[in-house]
Amino acid sequence: MSVLIYAELDNGSIKKTSLETIAYGVKVAAATGDHAVVLAIGSAEKRELEKAGHYGASKVLHASEEKLKHENSLAYADTLVQAAQQEGSKVIILSKSGLGDAVAARAAAKMKAGIVSGVTALPEIGETFKVTRSIFTGKAFAVTEIKSDIKILVVRKNAIELDESSVATVQAVVEQFAPKLADEAFKATVVNVEKASSELSLTEAAVIVSGGRGMKGPEHWQPLIDFAKALGAATGCSKPVSDLDWRPHHEHIGQTGIKVAPNLYIACGISGAIQHLAGVNGSKCIVVINKDPEAPFFKAADYGIVGDVFEILPRLTEAAKTL
Ligand code: FAD
């Protein structure tokens, strides 16, 4: 038997979040005594898919048909179900993302599987199979027991420490996988995808520098952009900043925006309202720069700098350039 892990592709590469999900799935497979199989859908080079072996997966199924080139949650769910049936997988693992949730939900309905989304840690596997997930926008954790034969977990970023030394590198075998897909799955199809920009994706970025109303206006954003560039970071913002059109809407982070989980989140002139925190509480380390020592964000911060962003950011940029 196997644990099946769905790895999302982006432009022919396995997404960073999916590499982490592969490592997570390999650990689950070690606990259940199964082997880990990865499913990749879309076009990618064999050499790229073999990267799964670096995270301990011994086999990769590659569904590369032309009609699977663009994301289609119905067709991808059918592909996942058929791969699970072929491999006899009782545990199926996906990354938490728009596509991951859509595919997981459809596959769960088809397989009558128990599903938990937003998983934040490795499952407890013994007499029972229990998973922990975050609820109430990260304010609490719920422990859920999955009782169905087939179990589907949708895993959040940073659910495990990606410790390179603890993952055994194996030679992954890449096999072509050709699912039987009904026309039903292609009632609406994507014909072309145009990226809005070449900027770093917020959901994939390891470091994010984010600005709030304390940045005073769009004409004052350069120090933040310079700092982000020096760190190789993506840029984000609070909701009022995007509402005011100071920054594009796709940078809006929080409960009603994008939820991020970088290794390092640096908040510049953001007060730390609960709705903003809901989008960043998966971050490994939070640094807050705010001139008000009473700003609520400091309570959620690992490191805090009390001061004026316009004095601090240029100094941090100079320091980052020497790294
Ligand atoms: P402010 O609250 O105005 O804070 C600005 C901060 O900058 C202050 O703490 C101030 O001390 C500091 N500052 C000012 N000048 C400087 C300086 N020179 N140097 C350093 N610091 C300085 N918000 C989100 O961000 N994301 C969401 O998804 C979101 N969803 C929401 C959903 C609902 C239903 C509601 C009601 C609200 C939502 N909000 C959301 C809005 C949220 O409640 C806050 O209003 C918002 O996050 C505040 O943004 P801000 O911190 O940029 O601005």
Side-chain angles (χ1 to χ4, degrees):
M1 286 208 287
S2 71
V3 168
L4 183 66
I5 305 141
Y6 168 47
E8 288 182 35
L9 298 175
D10 181 23
N11 234 345
S13 301
I14 301 177
K15 285 189 182 177
K16 271 196 205 141
T17 43
S18 288
L19 290 173
E20 199 177 300
T21 306
I22 293 170
Y24 178 100
V26 166
K27 284 187 192 291
V28 175
T32 55
D34 298 320
H35 62 281
V37 176
V38 171
L39 171 69
I41 308 175
S43 52
E45 297 285 332
K46 185 170 171 246
R47 205 175 327 144
E48 172 65 23
L49 299 177
E50 282 170 350
K51 273 190 191 164
H54 179 65
Y55 295 87
S58 53
K59 182 164 151 185
V60 180
L61 298 178
H62 186 202
S64 60
E65 285 177 42
E66 182 61 23
K67 58 183 177 180
L68 292 172
K69 185 174 163 197
H70 294 302
E71 290 178 5
N72 173 335
S73 53
L74 284 172
Y76 282 22
D78 283 347
T79 307
L80 184 72
V81 169
Q82 290 175 40
Q85 284 162 349
Q86 175 184 299
E87 298 297 317
S89 311
K90 297 287 184 196
V91 181
I92 301 169
I93 299 173
L94 303 92
S95 307
K96 176 98 180 134
S97 68
L99 181 66
D101 269 325
V103 172
R106 286 170 171 81
K110 282 174 190 289
M111 303 178 92
K112 300 204 180 344
I115 175 171
V116 175
S117 179
V119 174
T120 52
L122 285 165
E124 284 173 45
I125 304 169
E127 297 278 292
T128 57
F129 191 107
K130 287 183 185 157
V131 278
T132 303
R133 70 189 165 102
S134 77
I135 54 168
F136 302 133
T137 60
K139 282 268 157 240
F141 296 98
V143 178
T144 308
E145 183 182 341
I146 310 184
K147 293 183 171 167
S148 56
D149 187 32
I150 297 174
K151 300 162 179 67
I152 299 185
L153 313 187
V154 187
V155 178
R156 276 175 74 143
K157 202 165 166 244
N158 292 339
I160 54 159
E161 193 72 42
L162 195 52
D163 176 3
E164 298 280 324
S165 61
S166 69
V167 181
T169 297
V170 297
Q171 184 65 47
V173 177
V174 179
E175 284 178 12
Q176 283 304 312
F177 182 68
K180 291 187 182 67
L181 298 169
D183 290 344
E184 282 286 292
F186 296 96
K187 280 184 178 161
T189 52
V190 176
V191 286
N192 191 25
V193 175
E194 279 174 32
K195 277 212 163 181
S197 70
S198 57
E199 290 158 28
L200 272 172
S201 140
L202 277 171
T203 49
E204 289 282 297
V207 182
I208 295 172
V209 183
S210 193
R213 231 166 358 195
M215 291 299 297
K216 310 283 189 239
E219 68 281 15
H220 301 299
W221 227 261
Q222 201 54 45
L224 188 152
I225 292 169
D226 291 343
F227 182 43
K229 256 196 196 143
L231 287 177
T235 54
C237 68
S238 66
K239 181 174 184 293
V241 163
S242 67
D243 287 347
L244 289 162
D245 269 339
W246 292 2
R247 296 295 298 167
H249 282 273
H250 66 255
E251 287 197 1
H252 160 198
I253 292 171
Q255 185 185 331
T256 47
I258 297 178
K259 292 179 183 54
V260 296
N263 293 337
L264 177 59
Y265 185 79
I266 305 172
C268 310
I270 304 178
S271 57
I274 188 165
Q275 297 89 354
H276 187 81
L277 296 182
V280 304
N281 52 23
S283 309
K284 272 194 192 152
C285 178
I286 295 178
V287 176
V288 170
I289 309 169
N290 198 304
K291 69 175 185 185
D292 174 8
E294 301 298 323
F297 219 148
F298 283 122
K299 290 205 178 91
D302 296 285
Y303 299 95
I305 303 174
V306 179
D308 187 330
V309 274
F310 299 106
E311 282 172 24
I312 291 159
L313 281 175
R315 287 166 63 189
L316 289 177
T317 306
E318 284 315 306
K321 282 181 185 164
T322 63
L323 290 177

